[in-house]
Amino acid sequence: MLEKVSFPTTPDFELGFEHCSRHTDYLIAQPAEPAKGLVVYVPGFGEDAGDYRQKFCLRVAEKYGLAAMTVDYHCFYSRPDVQKSTVYEAEDVALIEKLFMANNLPFAGNSIEEGVAILNQHLAKNNRKAAITATLTPGKDEYQNGGVLQALDIINAVGHAIDQYDIPVDNVILVGSSYGGYIANLATKFAPNTFRAVFDNSSWAQPNFIYIVGREYGKEEYLHNTHSHITTKFFLRTAWTLRKGLPNTFDGKRFYVRTFSEEQIGQFAGYQPETYYYFIHAEKDRLALTEHKIQMATFMIQQQMNVHMEVIEASDVDGQYIKTIEHGMNLSMLTFFDKAYAHIDDHRIGSENDFMNRSTIGYDSGDCRYEFDYSSLPVVGRVVQRASA
């Protein structure tokens, strides 16, 4: 059985909301005997918000005697089936009006939604298709932050669970696929002495601008057949902009701290992390570029970090474990966990984590320094200006 737990987590310190409280939830499954450790399953975007993450946790708890949890991290519910609402910006409405004109129709309906439904009926009668654009507002009325809040939600959930339950601190494992794998890796960067291992299927090596500033970038984040003859190109609601000189400008200092560049990994390695990284990636992943991931793994290995990476080729597709050679490979994450967990059987880390050490972890990023203070729970995040050379 899964228990739902609410916990406090880090507010959006990047945008000046340090004094605003923020809470979210995790689901946790406990084994029959005292837990041997904790597994955190970090799914990708809200398309993964169904039953699988719950089944994963229950199966791991039963099979391995590990507590297993999954976290409703910031902006998780960001797919049409679990979103809060669809918002049509002025440019979206203009496009819909153009479609009415192109089809020799007067605009009709008491709302944009009604108008789109009428347009769809006309297109269906004439066997034609069209595409429109819109902004997707995630569940909980959230917005895309680009990884920092998401990673801190995972870290704070782990800290809370260890406080609440009798869980060994030296056996905490993160498991993620795609965006979930990216968040898992970023969590270990921000808390470099907290996690025994990361099992990562097809994660990004750096943030994707399409997910953060997609509308300004000119590329939709998600396509969805909202009507029988109309596809909606969704941009995700975001707090960031590419416009320069604003408090919420997504510039170099915001970008670099979210990456695994050679320079950032060099800073990361300075904290002497003991985490074991088990990566698996398709040889020609066009969404999370394979060459970027290989480069990330190479930089980590050069810094004496523990990394094992498997690049999957077409000949490795077996129809059961690896089903395709596309992004994510339609991999069975439970089978992936079985393989990866056996791989780290002899890997051990220290018995004190960043919370116990009351660590302050910092990363220089552009002209700023990001700091994560583990002297309290939730973690306190800060962005401070670096002194001029």
Side-chain angles (χ1 to χ4, degrees), residues 49-86:
D51 293 340
Y52 185 79
R53 63 181 184 142
Q54 300 177 29
K55 292 176 181 176
F56 181 96
C57 291
L58 291 167
R59 170 74 181 278
V60 168
E62 178 183 9
K63 183 174 181 179
Y64 290 99
L66 298 162
M69 70 189 302
T70 184
V71 183
D72 285 355
Y73 59 75
H74 186 75
C75 198
F76 174 55
Y77 295 100
S78 58
R79 286 291 179 261
D81 292 343
V82 290
Q83 71 179 66
K84 179 185 178 184
S85 62
T86 297

Side-chain angles (χ1 to χ4, degrees), residues 54-234:
Q54 300 177 29
K55 292 176 181 176
F56 181 96
C57 291
L58 291 167
R59 170 74 181 278
V60 168
E62 178 183 9
K63 183 174 181 179
Y64 290 99
L66 298 162
M69 70 189 302
T70 184
V71 183
D72 285 355
Y73 59 75
H74 186 75
C75 198
F76 174 55
Y77 295 100
S78 58
R79 286 291 179 261
D81 292 343
V82 290
Q83 71 179 66
K84 179 185 178 184
S85 62
T86 297
V87 176
Y88 296 97
E89 311 286 353
E91 61 195 81
D92 305 326
V93 175
L95 174 59
I96 293 167
E97 290 174 342
K98 287 181 180 179
L99 287 170
F100 269 90
M101 293 175 62
N103 285 275
N104 297 314
L105 288 174
F107 189 86
N110 296 318
S111 66
I112 299 298
E113 288 79 6
E114 285 186 15
V116 172
I118 291 168
L119 176 62
N120 183 69
Q121 289 175 353
H122 176 81
L123 292 170
K125 287 179 183 178
N126 291 276
N127 195 27
R128 299 170 70 180
K129 301 263 185 174
I132 62 175
T133 55
T135 293
L136 185 151
T137 302
K140 301 185 181 181
D141 203 26
E142 293 178 335
Y143 52 87
Q144 180 54 274
N145 164 266
V148 170
L149 291 182
Q150 290 86 341
L152 289 169
D153 286 348
I154 301 302
I155 294 166
N156 287 317
V158 168
H160 186 273
I162 288 174
D163 275 356
Q164 296 295 312
Y165 306 99
D166 185 18
I167 295 172
V169 300
D170 60 352
N171 192 22
V172 180
I173 299 168
L174 304 181
V175 184
S177 181
S178 188
Y179 183 58
Y182 168 72
I183 293 171
N185 290 323
L186 200 60
T188 70
K189 179 181 174 182
F190 296 164
N193 301 294
T194 298
F195 302 102
R196 180 185 176 200
V198 171
F199 302 157
D200 160 12
N201 168 27
S202 306
S203 80
W204 314 336
Q206 59 188 30
N208 190 327
F209 275 80
I210 292 170
Y211 295 94
I212 301 171
V213 285
R215 189 180 283 274
E216 290 181 74
Y217 212 60
K219 179 65 176 175
E220 71 277 356
E221 191 271 323
Y222 190 72
L223 293 174
H224 186 65
N225 294 322
T226 48
H227 298 77
S228 62
H229 287 68
I230 295 178
T231 298
T232 300
K233 298 179 178 180
F234 279 109

Side-chain angles (χ1 to χ4, degrees), residues 29 54 59 124 141 152 172 188 195 197 200 202 215 223 229 255 275 289 318 324 338 354-355 359 363 370 374-375 383:
Q54 300 177 29
R59 170 74 181 278
D141 203 26
L152 289 169
V172 180
T188 70
F195 302 102
D200 160 12
S202 306
R215 189 180 283 274
L223 293 174
H229 287 68
F255 176 74
T275 306
L289 297 180
D318 59 13
T324 76
D338 291 342
D354 289 294
F355 288 105
S359 305
Y363 289 92
Y370 277 69
Y374 289 86
S375 61
V383 183

